[in-house]
Amino acid sequence: GFTRRQVSLDMVNVGIFFGTSTGSTESVADMIKEELGDDADGPFDIETLEGSLQENFGKYPSLIVGTPTWNTGADVERSGTGWDEIYYKSMQQLNLQGKKVAVFGLGDQVSYAENYADATGELHDVFQGLGAQMYGYTSQEGYEHEDSKSIRGDKFCGLLCDMVNQEELSEERVRNWVAQLRAEGFLDGAASVPTPSVVNVQTVETFSNLEENSKILDTTIQSHANTGFKPFYNAKTRSTMWVSADGRTCYYTVEPPSGGFAP
Protein backbone atom coordinates (compact mmCIF):
# COMPACT_ATOMS: atom_id res chain seq x y z
CA GLY A 1 0.00 0.00 0.00
CA PHE A 2 0.90 3.68 0.21
CA THR A 3 2.75 3.39 3.55
CA ARG A 4 5.00 0.58 2.32
CA ARG A 5 6.01 2.57 -0.77
CA GLN A 6 6.67 5.70 1.29
CA VAL A 7 9.11 3.80 3.52
CA SER A 8 10.90 2.44 0.46
CA LEU A 9 11.30 5.87 -1.08
CA ASP A 10 12.74 7.27 2.14
CA MET A 11 15.54 4.71 2.35
CA VAL A 12 19.18 5.71 1.86
CA ASN A 13 20.32 4.93 -1.68
CA VAL A 14 23.93 3.85 -1.19
CA GLY A 15 25.87 1.77 1.31
CA ILE A 16 29.67 2.21 1.42
CA PHE A 17 31.76 -0.82 2.46
CA PHE A 18 35.53 -1.20 2.60
CA GLY A 19 38.42 -3.37 3.74
CA THR A 20 41.61 -1.79 5.07
CA SER A 21 44.96 -2.60 6.65
CA THR A 22 46.54 0.80 7.35
CA GLY A 23 43.49 3.06 7.25
CA SER A 24 44.12 4.65 3.84
CA THR A 25 41.18 2.89 2.18
CA GLU A 26 38.95 4.07 5.01
CA SER A 27 40.17 7.65 4.40
CA VAL A 28 39.08 7.46 0.76
CA ALA A 29 35.78 5.87 1.83
CA ASP A 30 35.24 8.87 4.12
CA MET A 31 35.87 11.23 1.20
CA ILE A 32 33.28 9.38 -0.88
CA LYS A 33 30.75 9.54 1.95
CA GLU A 34 31.35 13.29 2.36
CA GLU A 35 30.79 13.84 -1.35
CA LEU A 36 27.58 11.77 -1.39
CA GLY A 37 26.21 13.31 1.81
CA ASP A 38 22.79 12.06 2.87
CA ASP A 39 22.55 9.77 -0.16
CA ALA A 40 24.95 7.30 1.49
CA ASP A 41 25.36 5.33 4.72
CA GLY A 42 28.70 4.27 6.15
CA PRO A 43 31.45 3.73 5.48
CA PHE A 44 31.42 0.26 7.06
CA ASP A 45 34.53 -1.89 7.63
CA ILE A 46 33.81 -5.33 6.14
CA GLU A 47 35.55 -6.96 9.14
CA THR A 48 33.28 -5.35 11.73
CA LEU A 49 29.84 -5.88 10.18
CA GLU A 50 27.12 -7.12 12.50
CA GLY A 51 24.66 -9.54 10.96
CA SER A 52 24.78 -11.35 7.64
CA LEU A 53 26.17 -10.05 4.36
CA GLN A 54 22.73 -10.46 2.79
CA GLU A 55 21.23 -8.32 5.53
CA ASN A 56 23.84 -5.58 5.22
CA PHE A 57 24.05 -5.45 1.43
CA GLY A 58 20.29 -5.85 1.12
CA LYS A 59 19.61 -2.54 2.87
CA TYR A 60 20.80 -0.54 -0.13
CA PRO A 61 19.85 -0.50 -3.82
CA SER A 62 23.42 0.58 -4.65
CA LEU A 63 26.76 -0.38 -3.12
CA ILE A 64 30.17 1.29 -3.23
CA VAL A 65 32.89 -1.14 -2.17
CA GLY A 66 36.61 -0.57 -1.74
CA THR A 67 39.86 -2.41 -1.10
CA PRO A 68 43.63 -1.93 -0.86
CA THR A 69 46.11 -4.32 -2.49
CA TRP A 70 48.57 -6.19 -0.29
CA ASN A 71 49.00 -9.68 -1.75
CA THR A 72 50.65 -8.20 -4.83
CA GLY A 73 50.72 -10.50 -7.83
CA ALA A 74 48.57 -13.18 -6.16
CA ASP A 75 46.08 -15.05 -8.32
CA VAL A 76 43.22 -14.56 -5.85
CA GLU A 77 42.61 -13.03 -2.39
CA ARG A 78 44.81 -10.04 -3.14
CA SER A 79 43.40 -7.48 -0.71
CA GLY A 80 45.01 -8.58 2.56
CA THR A 81 41.74 -7.63 4.30
CA GLY A 82 38.48 -9.21 5.39
CA TRP A 83 37.30 -9.34 1.77
CA ASP A 84 39.65 -12.29 1.20
CA GLU A 85 37.83 -14.31 3.87
CA ILE A 86 34.41 -13.97 2.25
CA TYR A 87 34.97 -13.73 -1.53
CA TYR A 88 34.75 -17.46 -2.21
CA LYS A 89 32.85 -18.53 0.89
CA SER A 90 29.91 -16.57 2.31
CA MET A 91 29.65 -14.15 -0.62
CA GLN A 92 29.09 -17.04 -3.01
CA GLN A 93 25.73 -17.65 -1.29
CA LEU A 94 24.48 -14.18 -2.27
CA ASN A 95 22.31 -13.28 -5.24
CA LEU A 96 22.99 -9.65 -6.17
CA GLN A 97 21.18 -9.81 -9.49
CA GLY A 98 20.56 -6.26 -10.71
CA LYS A 99 22.11 -4.46 -7.72
CA LYS A 100 24.16 -1.41 -8.70
CA VAL A 101 27.79 -1.66 -7.58
CA ALA A 102 30.82 0.61 -8.04
CA VAL A 103 34.29 -0.27 -6.79
CA PHE A 104 37.27 1.78 -5.64
CA GLY A 105 40.76 0.70 -4.72
CA LEU A 106 44.15 1.83 -3.47
CA GLY A 107 47.64 0.91 -4.56
CA ASP A 108 51.23 2.10 -5.02
CA GLN A 109 51.76 2.73 -8.74
CA VAL A 110 55.51 3.40 -8.37
CA SER A 111 56.73 0.55 -6.16
CA TYR A 112 54.28 -1.92 -7.74
CA ALA A 113 53.98 -0.48 -11.23
CA GLU A 114 53.16 -3.82 -12.85
CA ASN A 115 50.53 -4.76 -10.25
CA TYR A 116 48.93 -1.42 -9.45
CA ALA A 117 45.80 -1.86 -7.32
CA ASP A 118 45.36 -5.45 -8.55
CA ALA A 119 42.89 -6.30 -5.78
CA THR A 120 40.33 -3.84 -7.15
CA GLY A 121 39.91 -6.07 -10.20
CA GLU A 122 39.11 -9.08 -8.04
CA LEU A 123 36.59 -7.08 -6.00
CA HIS A 124 34.93 -6.02 -9.25
CA ASP A 125 34.83 -9.55 -10.70
CA VAL A 126 33.35 -11.15 -7.57
CA PHE A 127 30.45 -8.68 -7.43
CA GLN A 128 29.89 -8.88 -11.18
CA GLY A 129 29.87 -12.67 -10.96
CA LEU A 130 27.07 -12.48 -8.39
CA GLY A 131 24.86 -10.58 -10.85
CA ALA A 132 25.62 -6.96 -9.95
CA GLN A 133 25.47 -4.16 -12.54
CA MET A 134 28.87 -2.45 -12.47
CA TYR A 135 29.33 1.34 -12.65
CA GLY A 136 32.11 3.91 -12.38
CA TYR A 137 34.82 2.80 -14.83
CA THR A 138 37.58 5.42 -15.12
CA SER A 139 40.38 6.52 -17.45
CA GLN A 140 44.00 5.42 -16.93
CA GLU A 141 45.25 8.89 -17.81
CA GLY A 142 47.26 10.67 -15.11
CA TYR A 143 48.73 7.50 -13.59
CA GLU A 144 52.28 6.13 -13.82
CA HIS A 145 51.57 2.39 -13.67
CA GLU A 146 52.76 -0.16 -16.23
CA ASP A 147 50.03 -2.74 -15.75
CA SER A 148 47.15 -3.70 -13.47
CA LYS A 149 44.69 -6.55 -13.03
CA SER A 150 42.09 -3.81 -12.51
CA ILE A 151 42.05 -2.83 -16.17
CA ARG A 152 38.95 -3.81 -18.14
CA GLY A 153 39.21 -2.92 -21.81
CA ASP A 154 41.11 0.36 -21.79
CA LYS A 155 39.74 1.61 -18.45
CA PHE A 156 40.15 0.94 -14.75
CA CYS A 157 37.17 -1.02 -13.39
CA GLY A 158 36.54 1.72 -10.80
CA LEU A 159 38.14 4.63 -8.96
CA LEU A 160 41.83 4.07 -8.18
CA CYS A 161 43.70 6.25 -5.69
CA ASP A 162 47.39 6.29 -4.75
CA MET A 163 47.76 7.69 -1.24
CA VAL A 164 51.53 7.10 -1.37
CA ASN A 165 52.53 8.96 -4.52
CA GLN A 166 49.50 11.04 -5.51
CA GLU A 167 47.64 11.70 -2.27
CA GLU A 168 47.06 15.32 -3.31
CA LEU A 169 44.93 14.12 -6.26
CA SER A 170 42.61 11.87 -4.26
CA GLU A 171 39.98 14.43 -3.25
CA GLU A 172 39.59 15.66 -6.82
CA ARG A 173 39.44 12.12 -8.14
CA VAL A 174 36.75 11.25 -5.61
CA ARG A 175 34.77 14.37 -6.46
CA ASN A 176 34.91 13.66 -10.20
CA TRP A 177 34.05 10.00 -9.69
CA VAL A 178 30.98 10.70 -7.58
CA ALA A 179 29.81 13.22 -10.18
CA GLN A 180 30.32 10.52 -12.82
CA LEU A 181 28.28 8.02 -10.81
CA ARG A 182 25.42 10.51 -10.54
CA ALA A 183 25.59 11.13 -14.29
CA GLU A 184 25.55 7.37 -14.99
CA GLY A 185 22.32 6.99 -13.02
CA PHE A 186 23.93 5.13 -10.13
CA LEU A 187 21.59 6.95 -7.73
CA ASP A 188 18.70 7.83 -10.06
CA GLY A 189 15.59 5.93 -9.08
CA ALA A 190 17.66 3.57 -6.96
CA ALA A 191 15.21 3.74 -4.06
CA SER A 192 12.10 3.04 -6.14
CA VAL A 193 10.71 -0.46 -6.28
CA PRO A 194 10.85 -1.97 -9.80
CA THR A 195 7.72 -3.65 -11.11
CA PRO A 196 7.82 -7.45 -10.82
CA SER A 197 7.34 -7.88 -14.57
CA VAL A 198 10.51 -5.96 -15.37
CA VAL A 199 12.54 -7.86 -12.80
CA ASN A 200 11.24 -11.22 -13.96
CA VAL A 201 11.88 -10.49 -17.63
CA GLN A 202 15.48 -9.45 -16.91
CA THR A 203 16.04 -12.52 -14.77
CA VAL A 204 14.56 -14.90 -17.33
CA GLU A 205 16.58 -13.33 -20.15
CA THR A 206 19.77 -13.48 -18.11
CA PHE A 207 19.45 -17.15 -17.26
CA SER A 208 18.16 -17.98 -20.72
CA ASN A 209 21.33 -16.54 -22.19
CA LEU A 210 23.42 -18.44 -19.65
CA GLU A 211 21.64 -21.69 -20.50
CA GLU A 212 22.06 -21.17 -24.24
CA ASN A 213 25.76 -20.42 -23.96
CA SER A 214 26.57 -22.86 -21.18
CA LYS A 215 27.83 -25.61 -23.51
CA ILE A 216 30.02 -23.15 -25.41
CA LEU A 217 31.46 -21.78 -22.18
CA ASP A 218 31.99 -25.26 -20.76
CA THR A 219 33.92 -26.22 -23.90
CA THR A 220 36.03 -23.09 -23.61
CA ILE A 221 36.79 -23.72 -19.96
CA GLN A 222 37.63 -27.35 -20.65
CA SER A 223 40.16 -26.23 -23.23
CA HIS A 224 41.84 -24.20 -20.51
CA ALA A 225 41.67 -26.96 -17.91
CA ASN A 226 45.42 -27.37 -17.80
CA THR A 227 46.19 -23.65 -17.57
CA GLY A 228 45.08 -23.17 -13.98
CA PHE A 229 41.44 -21.97 -14.20
CA LYS A 230 39.85 -22.39 -10.77
CA PRO A 231 36.05 -22.73 -10.29
CA PHE A 232 33.98 -20.91 -7.64
CA TYR A 233 30.34 -22.05 -7.53
CA ASN A 234 27.42 -19.77 -6.54
CA ALA A 235 24.58 -21.96 -5.27
CA LYS A 236 22.05 -19.11 -5.43
CA THR A 237 22.50 -18.29 -9.12
CA ARG A 238 23.62 -21.85 -10.03
CA SER A 239 26.55 -20.37 -11.93
CA THR A 240 30.29 -20.93 -11.66
CA MET A 241 32.96 -18.24 -11.92
CA TRP A 242 36.23 -19.62 -13.34
CA VAL A 243 39.31 -17.51 -12.56
CA SER A 244 42.52 -17.86 -14.60
CA ALA A 245 45.90 -18.48 -12.99
CA ASP A 246 46.95 -14.87 -13.52
CA GLY A 247 43.63 -13.54 -12.19
CA ARG A 248 42.95 -11.42 -15.28
CA THR A 249 40.40 -13.62 -17.03
CA CYS A 250 37.17 -15.15 -15.81
CA TYR A 251 34.33 -17.16 -17.36
CA TYR A 252 30.86 -18.11 -16.15
CA THR A 253 29.01 -21.40 -16.60
CA VAL A 254 25.68 -22.78 -15.38
CA GLU A 255 25.47 -25.59 -12.79
CA PRO A 256 28.33 -26.83 -10.57
CA PRO A 257 31.62 -27.85 -12.22
CA SER A 258 32.49 -31.54 -12.20
CA GLY A 259 34.79 -32.10 -9.26
CA GLY A 260 35.04 -28.32 -8.77
CA PHE A 261 35.04 -26.22 -5.65
CA ALA A 262 31.60 -25.41 -4.29
CA PRO A 263 31.73 -23.49 -0.99
Side-chain angles (χ1 to χ4, degrees), residues 155-218:
K155 294 181 178 295
F156 288 132
C157 62
L159 167 68
L160 298 191
C161 292
D162 185 341
M163 297 291 276
V164 177
N165 305 288
Q166 294 181 334
E167 181 178 2
E168 72 281 1
L169 299 179
S170 295
E171 288 190 10
E172 181 181 2
R173 283 172 172 166
V174 166
R175 185 164 55 252
N176 292 339
W177 189 59
V178 170
Q180 176 186 329
L181 290 178
R182 292 185 185 278
E184 290 178 354
F186 187 71
L187 280 72
D188 293 352
S192 62
V193 179
T195 60
S197 58
V198 174
V199 174
N200 288 338
V201 167
Q202 290 176 339
T203 302
V204 169
E205 288 180 351
T206 298
F207 282 98
S208 175
N209 291 335
L210 283 172
E211 298 279 357
E212 291 172 3
N213 291 286
S214 179
K215 291 184 179 180
I216 297 175
L217 287 171
D218 284 336

Coordinates of all heavy atoms in Angstrom, one line a residue, residues 155-218:
K155 N 40.0 0.8 -19.6 CA 39.7 1.6 -18.5 C 40.0 0.8 -17.2 O 40.1 -0.4 -17.2 CB 38.3 2.1 -18.5 CG 37.9 3.0 -19.6 CD 36.5 3.5 -19.5 CE 36.1 4.5 -20.6 NZ 36.8 5.8 -20.4
F156 N 40.2 1.6 -16.1 CA 40.1 0.9 -14.8 C 38.7 0.6 -14.4 O 37.8 1.2 -14.8 CB 40.6 1.9 -13.7 CG 42.1 2.2 -13.7 CD1 42.6 3.5 -13.7 CD2 43.0 1.1 -13.8 CE1 44.0 3.7 -13.7 CE2 44.4 1.4 -13.8 CZ 44.9 2.7 -13.8
C157 N 38.5 -0.5 -13.7 CA 37.2 -1.0 -13.4 C 36.5 -0.2 -12.3 O 35.4 -0.5 -11.9 CB 37.2 -2.5 -13.0 SG 38.2 -2.8 -11.5
G158 N 37.1 0.8 -11.8 CA 36.5 1.7 -10.8 C 37.5 2.9 -10.5 O 38.4 3.2 -11.3
L159 N 37.3 3.5 -9.4 CA 38.1 4.6 -9.0 C 39.4 4.1 -8.3 O 39.3 3.3 -7.4 CB 37.4 5.5 -8.0 CG 38.2 6.5 -7.2 CD1 38.8 7.6 -8.1 CD2 37.5 7.1 -6.0
L160 N 40.6 4.5 -8.8 CA 41.8 4.1 -8.2 C 42.5 5.3 -7.6 O 42.7 6.3 -8.3 CB 42.7 3.4 -9.2 CG 42.2 2.1 -9.8 CD1 43.3 1.4 -10.6 CD2 41.7 1.1 -8.7
C161 N 43.0 5.2 -6.4 CA 43.7 6.2 -5.7 C 45.1 5.7 -5.2 O 45.2 4.6 -4.8 CB 42.9 6.8 -4.5 SG 41.4 7.7 -5.0
D162 N 46.0 6.6 -5.2 CA 47.4 6.3 -4.8 C 47.7 7.3 -3.6 O 48.1 8.4 -3.9 CB 48.4 6.4 -5.9 CG 49.8 6.0 -5.5 OD1 50.1 5.9 -4.3 OD2 50.6 5.7 -6.4
M163 N 47.5 6.8 -2.4 CA 47.8 7.7 -1.2 C 49.2 7.8 -0.9 O 49.6 8.5 0.1 CB 46.9 7.2 -0.1 CG 45.4 7.3 -0.3 SD 44.8 8.9 -0.4 CE 44.6 9.3 1.4
V164 N 50.1 7.0 -1.6 CA 51.5 7.1 -1.4 C 52.2 8.1 -2.3 O 53.0 9.0 -1.8 CB 52.2 5.7 -1.6 CG1 53.7 5.8 -1.4 CG2 51.6 4.7 -0.7
N165 N 51.9 8.1 -3.6 CA 52.5 9.0 -4.5 C 51.7 10.1 -5.1 O 52.3 11.1 -5.6 CB 53.0 8.1 -5.7 CG 53.9 6.9 -5.3 OD1 55.0 7.1 -4.9 ND2 53.3 5.7 -5.3
Q166 N 50.4 10.0 -5.0 CA 49.5 11.0 -5.5 C 48.4 11.4 -4.5 O 47.2 11.6 -5.0 CB 48.9 10.6 -6.9 CG 50.0 10.5 -8.0 CD 49.3 10.1 -9.3 OE1 48.3 9.4 -9.3 NE2 50.0 10.4 -10.4
E167 N 48.7 11.4 -3.3 CA 47.6 11.7 -2.3 C 46.9 13.0 -2.5 O 45.7 13.1 -2.3 CB 48.3 11.7 -0.9 CG 47.3 12.0 0.2 CD 47.9 12.0 1.6 OE1 49.1 11.8 1.7 OE2 47.2 12.1 2.6
E168 N 47.7 14.0 -3.1 CA 47.1 15.3 -3.3 C 46.0 15.3 -4.4 O 45.2 16.2 -4.5 CB 48.1 16.3 -3.7 CG 48.7 16.2 -5.1 CD 49.8 15.0 -5.2 OE1 50.0 14.4 -4.1 OE2 50.3 14.8 -6.3
L169 N 45.9 14.2 -5.2 CA 44.9 14.1 -6.3 C 43.7 13.4 -5.8 O 42.7 13.3 -6.6 CB 45.5 13.4 -7.5 CG 46.7 14.1 -8.1 CD1 47.2 13.2 -9.3 CD2 46.4 15.5 -8.6
S170 N 43.7 12.8 -4.7 CA 42.6 11.9 -4.3 C 41.3 12.6 -4.1 O 40.2 12.1 -4.6 CB 43.0 11.1 -3.0 OG 44.1 10.3 -3.2
E171 N 41.3 13.7 -3.5 CA 40.0 14.4 -3.3 C 39.3 14.8 -4.6 O 38.1 14.6 -4.8 CB 40.2 15.7 -2.4 CG 40.5 15.4 -0.9 CD 40.4 16.6 0.0 OE1 40.0 17.7 -0.5 OE2 40.8 16.5 1.1
E172 N 40.1 15.3 -5.5 CA 39.6 15.7 -6.8 C 39.1 14.4 -7.6 O 38.0 14.5 -8.2 CB 40.7 16.4 -7.6 CG 40.2 16.8 -9.0 CD 41.2 17.5 -9.9 OE1 42.4 17.6 -9.4 OE2 40.9 17.9 -11.0
R173 N 39.9 13.3 -7.5 CA 39.4 12.1 -8.1 C 38.1 11.6 -7.6 O 37.3 11.1 -8.3 CB 40.5 11.1 -8.0 CG 41.7 11.3 -9.0 CD 42.9 10.4 -8.7 NE 43.9 10.5 -9.8 CZ 45.1 10.0 -9.7 NH1 45.5 9.4 -8.6 NH2 46.0 10.2 -10.7
V174 N 38.0 11.7 -6.2 CA 36.8 11.2 -5.6 C 35.6 12.1 -6.1 O 34.5 11.6 -6.4 CB 36.9 11.3 -4.1 CG1 35.5 11.2 -3.4 CG2 37.8 10.2 -3.6
R175 N 35.8 13.4 -6.1 CA 34.8 14.4 -6.5 C 34.3 14.1 -7.9 O 33.1 14.1 -8.2 CB 35.3 15.8 -6.3 CG 34.2 16.9 -6.6 CD 34.7 18.2 -6.0 NE 36.0 18.6 -6.6 CZ 37.1 18.7 -5.8 NH1 37.1 18.3 -4.6 NH2 38.2 19.1 -6.4
N176 N 35.3 13.9 -8.8 CA 34.9 13.7 -10.2 C 34.2 12.3 -10.4 O 33.3 12.2 -11.2 CB 36.2 13.7 -11.1 CG 36.8 15.1 -11.2 OD1 36.1 16.1 -10.9 ND2 38.1 15.2 -11.5
W177 N 34.6 11.3 -9.6 CA 34.0 10.0 -9.7 C 32.6 10.0 -9.2 O 31.7 9.4 -9.8 CB 34.9 9.0 -8.9 CG 34.5 7.6 -9.1 CD1 34.5 6.9 -10.3 CD2 34.1 6.6 -8.1 NE1 34.2 5.5 -10.1 CE2 33.9 5.4 -8.7 CE3 34.0 6.7 -6.7 CZ2 33.5 4.2 -8.0 CZ3 33.6 5.6 -6.0 CH2 33.4 4.4 -6.6
V178 N 32.3 10.6 -8.1 CA 31.0 10.7 -7.6 C 30.1 11.4 -8.6 O 28.9 11.0 -8.8 CB 30.9 11.4 -6.2 CG1 29.5 11.6 -5.8 CG2 31.6 10.5 -5.1
A179 N 30.6 12.5 -9.2 CA 29.8 13.2 -10.2 C 29.5 12.3 -11.4 O 28.4 12.3 -11.9 CB 30.6 14.5 -10.6
Q180 N 30.5 11.5 -11.7 CA 30.3 10.5 -12.8 C 29.2 9.5 -12.5 O 28.4 9.2 -13.3 CB 31.6 9.8 -13.1 CG 31.5 8.7 -14.2 CD 32.8 7.9 -14.3 OE1 33.9 8.5 -14.1 NE2 32.7 6.6 -14.7
L181 N 29.3 9.0 -11.2 CA 28.3 8.0 -10.8 C 26.9 8.6 -10.9 O 25.9 7.9 -11.3 CB 28.6 7.5 -9.4 CG 29.8 6.7 -9.2 CD1 30.0 6.3 -7.7 CD2 29.7 5.4 -10.0
R182 N 26.7 9.8 -10.5 CA 25.4 10.5 -10.5 C 25.0 10.6 -12.0 O 23.8 10.4 -12.3 CB 25.5 11.9 -9.9 CG 25.7 11.9 -8.4 CD 25.6 13.3 -7.8 NE 25.9 13.3 -6.4 CZ 25.0 13.1 -5.4 NH1 23.8 12.7 -5.7 NH2 25.4 13.1 -4.1
A183 N 25.9 11.0 -12.9 CA 25.6 11.1 -14.3 C 25.2 9.8 -14.9 O 24.4 9.7 -15.9 CB 26.8 11.8 -15.0
E184 N 25.8 8.7 -14.4 CA 25.6 7.4 -15.0 C 24.2 6.8 -14.5 O 23.8 5.7 -14.9 CB 26.7 6.4 -14.6 CG 28.0 6.7 -15.3 CD 29.1 5.8 -14.9 OE1 28.9 4.9 -14.0 OE2 30.2 5.8 -15.5
G185 N 23.6 7.5 -13.5 CA 22.3 7.0 -13.0 C 22.5 6.0 -11.9 O 21.6 5.3 -11.5
F186 N 23.7 6.0 -11.2 CA 23.9 5.1 -10.1 C 23.0 5.4 -9.0 O 22.6 4.4 -8.3 CB 25.4 5.3 -9.7 CG 25.8 4.4 -8.6 CD1 26.1 3.0 -8.9 CD2 26.1 4.8 -7.3 CE1 26.5 2.1 -8.0 CE2 26.6 3.9 -6.4 CZ 26.8 2.6 -6.7
L187 N 22.5 6.6 -8.8 CA 21.6 7.0 -7.7 C 20.2 7.2 -8.2 O 19.2 7.1 -7.5 CB 22.0 8.2 -7.0 CG 23.1 8.1 -5.9 CD1 24.5 7.8 -6.6 CD2 23.2 9.3 -5.1
D188 N 20.0 7.5 -9.5 CA 18.7 7.8 -10.1 C 17.7 6.7 -9.9 O 18.0 5.6 -10.5 CB 18.8 8.2 -11.5 CG 19.6 9.5 -11.7 OD1 19.9 10.2 -10.7 OD2 19.9 9.8 -12.9
G189 N 16.6 6.9 -9.2 CA 15.6 5.9 -9.1 C 16.0 4.7 -8.3 O 15.3 3.7 -8.3
A190 N 17.2 4.8 -7.6 CA 17.7 3.6 -7.0 C 16.8 3.1 -5.8 O 16.7 2.0 -5.5 CB 19.1 3.8 -6.4
A191 N 16.0 4.1 -5.2 CA 15.2 3.7 -4.1 C 13.8 3.3 -4.5 O 13.1 2.8 -3.6 CB 15.1 4.9 -3.1
S192 N 13.4 3.5 -5.7 CA 12.1 3.0 -6.1 C 12.1 1.5 -6.3 O 13.1 0.9 -6.6 CB 11.7 3.7 -7.5 OG 12.6 3.4 -8.5
V193 N 10.9 1.0 -6.2 CA 10.7 -0.5 -6.3 C 10.4 -0.8 -7.7 O 9.3 -0.4 -8.2 CB 9.6 -1.0 -5.3 CG1 9.4 -2.5 -5.5 CG2 9.9 -0.6 -3.9
P194 N 11.2 -1.6 -8.4 CA 10.8 -2.0 -9.8 C 9.6 -2.9 -9.9 O 9.3 -3.6 -8.9 CB 12.1 -2.7 -10.3 CG 12.7 -3.3 -9.0 CD 12.4 -2.2 -7.9
T195 N 8.9 -2.8 -11.0 CA 7.7 -3.6 -11.1 C 8.2 -5.1 -11.3 O 9.2 -5.4 -11.9 CB 6.9 -3.2 -12.3 OG1 7.7 -3.4 -13.5 CG2 6.4 -1.8 -12.2
P196 N 7.4 -6.0 -10.7 CA 7.8 -7.4 -10.8 C 8.0 -7.9 -12.3 O 8.9 -8.7 -12.5 CB 6.7 -8.2 -10.2 CG 6.1 -7.2 -9.2 CD 6.2 -5.9 -9.9
S197 N 7.2 -7.4 -13.2 CA 7.3 -7.9 -14.6 C 8.7 -7.5 -15.1 O 9.3 -8.4 -15.8 CB 6.2 -7.3 -15.4 OG 6.3 -5.8 -15.4
V198 N 9.2 -6.4 -14.9 CA 10.5 -6.0 -15.4 C 11.6 -6.8 -14.8 O 12.5 -7.3 -15.5 CB 10.8 -4.5 -15.1 CG1 12.2 -4.1 -15.5 CG2 9.8 -3.6 -15.8
V199 N 11.5 -7.0 -13.5 CA 12.5 -7.9 -12.8 C 12.5 -9.3 -13.4 O 13.6 -9.9 -13.6 CB 12.3 -7.9 -11.3 CG1 13.3 -8.9 -10.6 CG2 12.5 -6.5 -10.7
N200 N 11.3 -9.8 -13.5 CA 11.2 -11.2 -14.0 C 11.8 -11.4 -15.4 O 12.4 -12.3 -15.7 CB 9.8 -11.7 -13.9 CG 9.3 -11.9 -12.5 OD1 10.1 -12.1 -11.6 ND2 8.0 -11.8 -12.2
V201 N 11.4 -10.4 -16.3 CA 11.9 -10.5 -17.6 C 13.4 -10.5 -17.7 O 14.0 -11.2 -18.4 CB 11.3 -9.3 -18.5 CG1 12.0 -9.2 -19.8 CG2 9.8 -9.5 -18.7
Q202 N 14.0 -9.5 -16.9 CA 15.5 -9.5 -16.9 C 16.1 -10.7 -16.4 O 17.1 -11.2 -16.9 CB 15.9 -8.3 -16.0 CG 15.6 -6.9 -16.6 CD 16.0 -5.8 -15.7 OE1 16.1 -6.0 -14.5 NE2 16.1 -4.6 -16.3
T203 N 15.5 -11.3 -15.3 CA 16.0 -12.5 -14.8 C 15.9 -13.7 -15.8 O 16.9 -14.4 -16.0 CB 15.3 -12.9 -13.5 OG1 15.4 -11.8 -12.6 CG2 15.9 -14.1 -12.8
V204 N 14.8 -13.8 -16.4 CA 14.6 -14.9 -17.3 C 15.5 -14.8 -18.5 O 16.1 -15.7 -18.9 CB 13.1 -14.9 -17.8 CG1 13.0 -15.8 -19.0 CG2 12.2 -15.3 -16.7
E205 N 15.7 -13.5 -19.0 CA 16.6 -13.3 -20.1 C 18.0 -13.7 -19.8 O 18.8 -14.3 -20.5 CB 16.5 -11.9 -20.6 CG 15.2 -11.6 -21.4 CD 15.1 -10.2 -21.8 OE1 16.0 -9.4 -21.5 OE2 14.2 -9.8 -22.6
T206 N 18.4 -13.2 -18.6 CA 19.8 -13.5 -18.1 C 20.1 -15.0 -18.1 O 21.1 -15.4 -18.6 CB 20.0 -12.9 -16.7 OG1 19.8 -11.4 -16.8 CG2 21.4 -13.1 -16.2
F207 N 19.2 -15.7 -17.4 CA 19.4 -17.2 -17.3 C 19.2 -17.9 -18.6 O 19.9 -18.9 -18.8 CB 18.6 -17.7 -16.1 CG 19.1 -17.4 -14.8 CD1 18.7 -16.4 -14.0 CD2 20.2 -18.2 -14.3 CE1 19.2 -16.1 -12.8 CE2 20.7 -17.9 -13.0 CZ 20.2 -16.8 -12.3
S208 N 18.3 -17.4 -19.4 CA 18.2 -18.0 -20.7 C 19.4 -17.9 -21.5 O 19.9 -18.9 -22.2 CB 17.0 -17.3 -21.5 OG 16.9 -17.8 -22.8
N209 N 20.1 -16.7 -21.5 CA 21.3 -16.5 -22.2 C 22.4 -17.4 -21.6 O 23.2 -18.0 -22.3 CB 21.8 -15.1 -22.1 CG 20.9 -14.2 -22.9 OD1 20.2 -14.6 -23.9 ND2 20.9 -12.9 -22.6
L210 N 22.4 -17.6 -20.3 CA 23.4 -18.4 -19.7 C 23.2 -19.9 -20.1 O 24.2 -20.6 -20.4 CB 23.3 -18.3 -18.1 CG 24.0 -17.1 -17.5 CD1 23.6 -17.0 -16.0 CD2 25.5 -17.1 -17.7
E211 N 21.9 -20.3 -20.1 CA 21.6 -21.7 -20.5 C 22.1 -21.9 -21.9 O 22.7 -23.0 -22.2 CB 20.1 -22.0 -20.4 CG 19.6 -21.8 -19.0 CD 19.8 -23.1 -18.1 OE1 20.4 -24.0 -18.7 OE2 19.4 -23.1 -17.0
E212 N 21.8 -21.0 -22.8 CA 22.1 -21.2 -24.2 C 23.6 -21.2 -24.5 O 24.0 -21.9 -25.4 CB 21.5 -20.0 -25.1 CG 19.9 -20.0 -25.1 CD 19.4 -18.8 -25.7 OE1 20.2 -17.9 -26.2 OE2 18.2 -18.6 -25.8
N213 N 24.3 -20.5 -23.7 CA 25.8 -20.4 -24.0 C 26.6 -21.3 -23.0 O 27.8 -21.4 -23.1 CB 26.3 -19.0 -23.8 CG 25.7 -18.1 -24.9 OD1 26.2 -18.2 -26.0 ND2 24.8 -17.2 -24.6
S214 N 25.9 -22.1 -22.2 CA 26.6 -22.9 -21.2 C 27.5 -23.9 -21.8 O 28.6 -24.0 -21.4 CB 25.6 -23.6 -20.3 OG 26.2 -24.4 -19.3
K215 N 27.0 -24.6 -22.9 CA 27.8 -25.6 -23.5 C 29.1 -25.0 -24.2 O 30.2 -25.6 -24.1 CB 27.0 -26.4 -24.5 CG 25.9 -27.2 -23.9 CD 25.2 -28.0 -25.0 CE 24.1 -28.9 -24.4 NZ 23.4 -29.7 -25.4
I216 N 28.9 -23.8 -24.8 CA 30.0 -23.1 -25.4 C 31.0 -22.8 -24.4 O 32.3 -23.0 -24.5 CB 29.5 -21.9 -26.2 CG1 28.6 -22.3 -27.3 CG2 30.7 -21.1 -26.7 CD1 28.0 -21.1 -28.0
L217 N 30.6 -22.2 -23.3 CA 31.5 -21.8 -22.2 C 32.2 -23.0 -21.6 O 33.4 -22.9 -21.2 CB 30.7 -21.0 -21.1 CG 30.3 -19.6 -21.5 CD1 29.3 -19.0 -20.5 CD2 31.5 -18.7 -21.7
D218 N 31.4 -24.1 -21.3 CA 32.0 -25.3 -20.8 C 33.1 -25.8 -21.7 O 34.2 -26.2 -21.2 CB 30.9 -26.4 -20.6 CG 30.0 -26.1 -19.4 OD1 30.5 -25.4 -18.5 OD2 28.9 -26.6 -19.4

